[in-house]
Amino acid sequence: MASSTALTSNTTVTWAGAHHRNHKLFSSFSSPLDLGFPSKSISVRKPNSRRGNAIHCAALQSHPVLHYPRQPSHRKEFSSSSDNDFPENQKTQLPQWNFLQKAAAFALDMAETALVSRERQHPLPKTADPGIQIAGNFAPVPEQPVRHSLPVSGTIPDCINGVYLRNGANPLFEPVAGHHFFDGDGMVHAVTLDDGSASYACRFTETQRLVQERNLGRPVFPKAIGELHGHSGIARLLLFYARGLFGLVDHNHGTGVANAGLVYFNKRLLAMSEDDLPYQVRIKPSGDLETVGRYDFDEQLRSTMIAHPKVDPVSGELFALSYDVVQKPYLKYFRFSPEGQKSPDVEIPIGGPTMMHDFAITENYVVIPDQQVVFKLQEMITGGSPVIYDKNKKSRFGILYKNAQTAEDIIWVESPDTFCFHLWNAWEEPETDEVVVIGSCMTPADSIFNECEDKLQSVLSEIRLNLKTGESTRRPIVPASEQVNLEAGMVNRSRLGRKTQFAYLAIAEPWPKVSGFAKVDLSTGEVHKYQYGDQRYGGEPYFVHRDPTSGREDDGYILAFVHDEKTWKSELHIVNAMNLQLEATVKLPSRVPYGFHGTFVNLQDMGNQA
């Protein structure tokens, strides 16, 4: 663990650009110095550079993996390499601290060094071990400026003209302690498809967290899942807020990573994680990306927003939730008009802080899950994780009118032992007084966050909530003989909130990798699969409709990133959603790590960005 830059005048950031595909990124607490990788370095642009704060890197064709900046204890220097593809050599401006701040930084860094030394005496759980969480193609990559005229096999359909974007976790720095895959800095990968040609770029979302850590030359913000557990988690929080008290970091303008969701709304592309406000990212005419900044909807949004807001395809409104893990109200609901005007917050009555990653909408309602994975910060006092499965709590769904001004009329329907990390759709069936919810029910419920002996299962399920009787039913949609883990996906979003026949979902096997995707008939349970091939894995399938007025719900195409673990190369697959035949493959110039959720912005919307 390095001491702070507080008492030094120089700093070094060194990156290597080549990595053998069969070599693990690093084992727990190992140093990049021990791995024997080549040491091609990159240069760091100043924050006021032409395209914003960004990092340029070399060796993009040679099994690239991001190597983290060393954190030496004493003198540091910025270095550049003569064989760098982008050899700008500009220095980062170090913080201008006074004597008291420098002394405080030194003392706090010494305390953190002692904390890390103590932590390293104990093995990490698999859910917090960086040697597991970001190994192989879960490992980060450097930024990639736009590359045009990419090789295309097959023919890109005429109707696909726009930008496919996918978010993901991509830690800028090597973890110094525990790290969960969800903790990484947000990076957006973008493939522009225009009249049969393709280009690619990937950029970090320039969050306040990332900008501050890059200026300091090391990670200082606590990692919500990988580090905040037990007594060491409490100590990290105290150290972080002490740094804030002395003005060494600023936590008043967000601590989120913006690595999970993407939505295009009101002429803005928003990158989101539920621990912060969204960040606006602009797609440049060239196909490159730049961060505009933290977006509060013109000072209307004063709380965090979850990473899965819903855009109603008919009204054009955006619906969202915000949860708080510390104080009441623990959950709020709000919406935005198509022009971006925010409604008043509606406080949703729940018993305590609850994991609320997703929700659903119907034509008239919002459907809010209140499930058994909860936050109990007091568990840290006894050495545990603050994210736990509460076996004594009963899972339920709240059904509330979209235009509700208060939660007085919310209807709660219990659904025992139900935990859906994602909900794919919901709709109303007035003839039976039911709301039908489609989601993937996960067991063990907290297995993503805490180490479990039981094998994870994610079962695509239909949950029926009767608004008159208050009763519910739940059934697996796919027959037991064909049961596979289905996670990450979508329905045709031009029909979101209305009854849909099909869902397109990632086949999350072998977990946590994705070996293909499934097209599931939600009425019959019939499954058609598109497999990526031997040692080829991908992520979320994204449906793009051919014509929004088409009478066929599946009249469109599936876009998905695919990575070949034998050749260590990545592609974009474009698959006909009706027959699951491959239409085109775009060869990408660099590796695309496995990630999270995406969206598609057509060329008209791209040209109308705010």
Side-chain angles (χ1 to χ4, degrees):
M1 176 69 186
S3 63
S4 171
T5 55
L7 303 180
T8 63
S9 58
N10 300 309
T11 200
T12 297
V13 178
T14 304
W15 302 74
H19 167 55
H20 192 276
R21 62 182 178 272
N22 292 324
H23 204 311
K24 272 193 172 182
L25 177 63
F26 47 80
S27 59
S28 299
F29 305 118
S30 66
S31 165
L33 301 175
D34 301 328
L35 299 180
F37 296 128
S39 58
K40 294 182 181 179
S41 64
I42 70 168
S43 61
V44 178
R45 282 192 169 194
K46 294 169 70 175
N48 62 355
S49 65
R50 177 172 51 86
R51 61 166 184 77
N53 303 339
I55 297 178
H56 290 263
C57 48
L60 294 169
Q61 299 292 338
S62 51
H63 308 313
V65 69
L66 191 59
H67 281 216
Y68 300 94
R70 295 184 194 179
Q71 300 172 27
S73 300
H74 302 291
R75 182 173 172 275
K76 302 178 180 180
E77 295 178 353
F78 272 92
S79 64
S80 66
S81 166
S82 60
D83 60 353
N84 201 320
D85 286 350
F86 308 98
E88 295 95 334
N89 185 23
Q90 303 183 26
K91 293 185 178 180
T92 293
Q93 182 68 42
L94 294 177
Q96 299 298 311
W97 290 336
N98 60 36
F99 177 79
L100 178 61
Q101 288 175 310
K102 291 178 180 179
F106 182 78
L108 292 170
D109 287 350
M110 292 292 289
E112 186 173 5
T113 299
L115 174 64
V116 171
S117 177
R118 183 176 179 275
E119 286 181 323
R120 292 181 178 182
Q121 298 173 16
H122 306 282
L124 285 167
K126 293 178 181 179
T127 52
D129 186 345
I132 295 172
Q133 291 290 309
I134 48 177
N137 196 44
F138 290 96
V141 293
E143 287 188 311
Q144 166 79 296
V146 65
R147 301 282 288 269
H148 296 286
S149 302
L150 302 180
V152 177
S153 300
T155 302
I156 298 174
D158 294 339
C159 63
I160 301 183
N161 287 291
V163 187
Y164 169 59
L165 305 114
R166 200 221 63 200
N167 211 346
N170 200 87
L172 175 64
F173 290 103
E174 176 186 3
V176 297
H179 181 92
H180 189 281
F181 182 48
F182 291 178
D183 290 327
D185 298 293
M187 175 176 276
V188 178
H189 301 260
V191 177
T192 301
L193 305 168
D194 185 8
D195 196 24
S197 65
S199 64
Y200 169 80
C202 65
R203 297 293 187 190
F204 282 108
T205 298
E206 302 281 329
T207 63
Q208 288 288 322
R209 176 189 188 118
L210 181 137
V211 170
Q212 291 187 62
E213 290 190 335
R214 187 166 56 202
N215 288 340
L216 290 170
R218 65 186 184 89
V220 293
F221 283 67
K223 295 182 178 180
I225 304 176
E227 291 182 339
L228 296 187
H229 46 80
H231 300 142
S232 62
I234 297 174
R236 287 190 179 281
L237 284 174
L238 293 174
L239 285 169
F240 178 66
Y241 284 106
R243 287 188 170 106
L245 183 66
F246 285 101
L248 308 178
V249 295
D250 179 6
H251 54 73
N252 294 316
H253 294 90
T255 61
V257 289
N259 66 12
L262 291 171
V263 66
Y264 187 84
F265 175 71
N266 190 28
K267 301 182 179 181
R268 292 169 176 85
L269 174 65
L270 303 178
M272 300 160 293
S273 57
E274 51 235 49
D275 50 358
D276 205 342
L277 272 65
Y279 276 81
Q280 182 184 352
V281 176
R282 181 177 290 123
I283 309 166
K284 300 170 79 170
S286 66
D288 212 340
L289 304 170
E290 63 179 355
T291 303
V292 176
R294 199 163 175 249
Y295 185 60
D296 60 7
F297 291 84
D298 297 326
E299 300 183 349
Q300 297 180 93
L301 182 61
R302 302 185 181 277
S303 62
T304 62
M305 189 171 88
I306 69 168
H308 290 288
K310 310 297 181 186
V311 177
D312 189 293
V314 176
S315 71
E317 296 171 288
L318 182 101
F319 301 88
L321 300 175
S322 172
Y323 66 79
D324 195 304
V325 303
V326 177
Q327 61 186 3
K328 292 183 177 181
Y330 296 124
L331 182 63
K332 296 182 292 187
Y333 157 71
F334 47 88
R335 68 187 190 279
F336 296 92
S337 73
E339 296 75 31
Q341 293 298 309
K342 181 179 176 294
S343 71
D345 291 335
V346 177
E347 297 182 8
I348 307 298
I350 57 175
T354 299
M355 167 63 69
M356 200 78 62
H357 183 70
D358 202 358
F359 72 113
I361 62 171
T362 70
E363 186 174 353
N364 295 294
Y365 300 109
V366 288
V367 182
I368 301 169
D370 180 19
Q371 302 177 129
Q372 293 170 284
V373 176
V374 301
F375 298 96
K376 289 192 176 182
L377 302 184
Q378 61 267 33
E379 292 291 320
M380 298 171 68
I381 298 174
T382 58
S385 168
V387 184
I388 67 167
Y389 171 72
D390 184 353
K391 65 180 180 180
N392 296 318
K393 182 180 178 180
K394 291 185 177 180
S395 292
R396 60 181 185 166
F397 289 88
I399 298 93
L400 181 69
Y401 278 107
K402 284 178 172 177
N403 60 357
Q405 300 297 310
T406 72
E408 290 180 0
D409 296 326
I410 193 168
I411 299 172
W412 291 106
V413 180
E414 290 185 359
S415 181
D417 300 320
T418 298
F419 177 75
C420 295
F421 199 55
H422 292 108
L423 301 176
W424 310 121
N425 198 17
W427 60 81
E428 302 158 31
E429 294 192 355
E431 61 276 12
T432 59
D433 299 311
E434 290 178 317
V435 168
V436 180
V437 181
I438 305 298
S440 292
C441 293
M442 187 176 291
T443 55
D446 62 340
S447 56
I448 293 178
F449 308 102
N450 298 311
E451 192 166 6
C452 300
E453 293 183 1
D454 296 336
K455 182 180 178 181
L456 183 144
Q457 290 185 309
S458 184
V459 179
L460 181 63
S461 303
E462 177 194 88
I463 304 162
R464 289 183 167 265
L465 310 172
N466 193 298
L467 303 188
K468 280 198 171 181
T469 66
E471 297 177 343
S472 69
T473 61
R474 189 182 81 207
R475 69 172 183 89
I477 292 174
V478 178
S481 59
E482 297 186 55
Q483 193 63 246
V484 291
N485 285 333
L486 296 174
E487 249 297 335
M490 61 185 298
V491 299
N492 181 336
R493 289 200 177 152
S494 67
R495 305 191 182 197
L496 190 70
R498 285 76 184 166
K499 186 172 184 177
T500 44
Q501 181 179 358
F502 300 111
Y504 309 92
L505 301 167
I507 301 172
E509 294 187 0
W511 181 270
K513 294 180 181 180
V514 171
S515 55
F517 67 83
K519 176 185 179 181
V520 183
D521 188 311
L522 301 176
S523 298
T524 67
E526 185 178 9
V527 178
H528 295 277
K529 298 177 183 178
Y530 178 85
Q531 300 285 357
Y532 296 138
D534 182 42
Q535 295 186 51
R536 294 164 67 88
Y537 303 97
E540 175 191 70
Y542 191 88
F543 178 87
V544 179
H545 55 67
R546 184 186 63 81
D547 179 355
T549 65
S550 173
R552 285 199 59 163
E553 181 187 318
D554 59 351
D555 188 2
Y557 299 90
I558 301 295
L559 308 183
F561 285 128
V562 178
H563 178 71
D564 191 322
E565 296 194 349
K566 293 179 293 183
T567 64
W568 217 239
K569 294 185 180 299
S570 298
E571 304 169 334
L572 175 69
H573 283 201
I574 302 174
V575 180
N576 189 309
M578 290 190 287
N579 56 25
L580 299 193
Q581 296 299 305
L582 181 64
E583 297 280 347
T585 300
V586 179
K587 309 291 184 182
L588 301 175
S590 63
R591 180 171 64 85
V592 177
Y594 307 132
F596 302 137
H597 306 289
T599 193
F600 185 84
V601 179
N602 63 48
L603 292 183
Q604 181 179 355
D605 286 339
M606 178 179 166
N608 292 330
Q609 294 175 93

